[in-house]
Amino acid sequence: QLDLGPFSARIRVQDDDGGSTEQEWSITSNFEDADNDGVPDECEIRFGFDPNNPNDADLDFDGDGISNREECLEGTDPTVSNAPSAPELELPEDEARIDDANITLQVINSVDPDGDAISYAFEVYLDAELTEELYIAEDVEEGEERTSHEIALELTYNLRYYWRARATDGRGFSPYSEV
């Protein structure tokens, strides 16, 4: 993370006779920013952005939900996603017939490249196009290797449902899982 200060520094020197002296000073850092977009020119040049174009600061080149400005200031690569990977649907299996009206959805956990804590969203739909939303659960806490969520809704027997999941590290969202 880029911290511009000011930073305080203090040094104390003490000799064997008990005498000492102390010096204190303040340092403020700065960076060049030709287009005044809040992104250091050095970062824009390193990652292929235009240091004279203020419009690229709020863009999200890697699609991870974190702007180019935020990534440069935090010291992360704005061209590589910092969001978690897509979770993998595990249960119920595709085309499975479920005899119970109450059902538990389970995914194999995502991986976050920064090691951030992850939570999940589970979505259930009535149609394959995912336009008829039936149920959404968000902020489901991650399990150890797999994450499960029991749907708080009785489903109709012998009706086909479609579901998907995605993960978030609180900043960016993973792609959705397969349906």
Side-chain angles (χ1 to χ4, degrees):
Q1 182 169 338
L2 185 61
D3 189 354
L4 301 178
F7 304 99
S8 294
R10 181 184 303 177
I11 187 169
R12 174 186 284 168
V13 178
Q14 191 167 2
D15 64 23
D16 292 336
D17 297 332
S20 68
T21 185
E22 192 171 292
Q23 293 282 325
E24 188 172 333
W25 63 96
S26 180
I27 302 169
T28 301
S29 180
N30 204 349
F31 58 81
E32 290 189 32
D33 183 11
D35 55 11
N36 294 312
D37 62 358
V39 180
D41 290 348
E42 181 273 328
C43 185
E44 292 194 83
I45 292 166
R46 180 174 0 132
F47 294 111
F49 304 128
D50 183 351
N52 296 307
N53 177 4
N55 298 321
D56 57 9
D58 292 323
L59 300 178
D60 180 14
F61 184 84
D62 56 15
D64 63 2
I66 306 169
S67 73
N68 297 335
R69 175 187 301 109
E70 290 174 283
E71 293 218 42
C72 282
L73 294 177
E74 291 175 7
T76 58
D77 185 340
T79 65
V80 176
S81 177
N82 299 66
S85 62
E88 184 181 332
L89 303 186
E90 185 171 54
L91 295 174
E93 294 178 0
D94 196 22
E95 301 295 326
R97 283 198 168 288
I98 309 298
D99 293 331
D100 191 349
N102 297 312
I103 187 168
T104 298
L105 305 176
Q106 181 171 294
V107 296
I108 298 172
N109 289 347
S110 301
V111 175
D112 185 79
D114 303 319
D116 297 329
I118 297 174
S119 65
Y120 294 84
F122 290 86
E123 302 177 359
V124 179
Y125 295 85
L126 293 170
D127 63 318
E129 294 77 30
L130 309 179
T131 60
E132 295 182 54
E133 177 184 299
L134 179 66
Y135 179 83
I136 293 183
E138 296 180 318
D139 299 320
V140 176
E141 190 175 319
E142 184 174 53
E144 196 167 314
E145 291 181 13
R146 290 164 171 73
T147 299
S148 300
H149 176 72
E150 185 173 334
I151 297 176
L153 174 74
E154 271 199 29
L155 300 178
T156 304
Y157 180 73
N158 210 25
L159 189 63
R160 185 179 300 241
Y161 296 94
Y162 302 86
W163 71 286
R164 66 183 180 176
R166 74 174 176 173
T168 182
D169 60 5
R171 302 218 2 147
F173 290 94
S174 74
Y176 279 102
S177 64
E178 297 292 324
V179 177

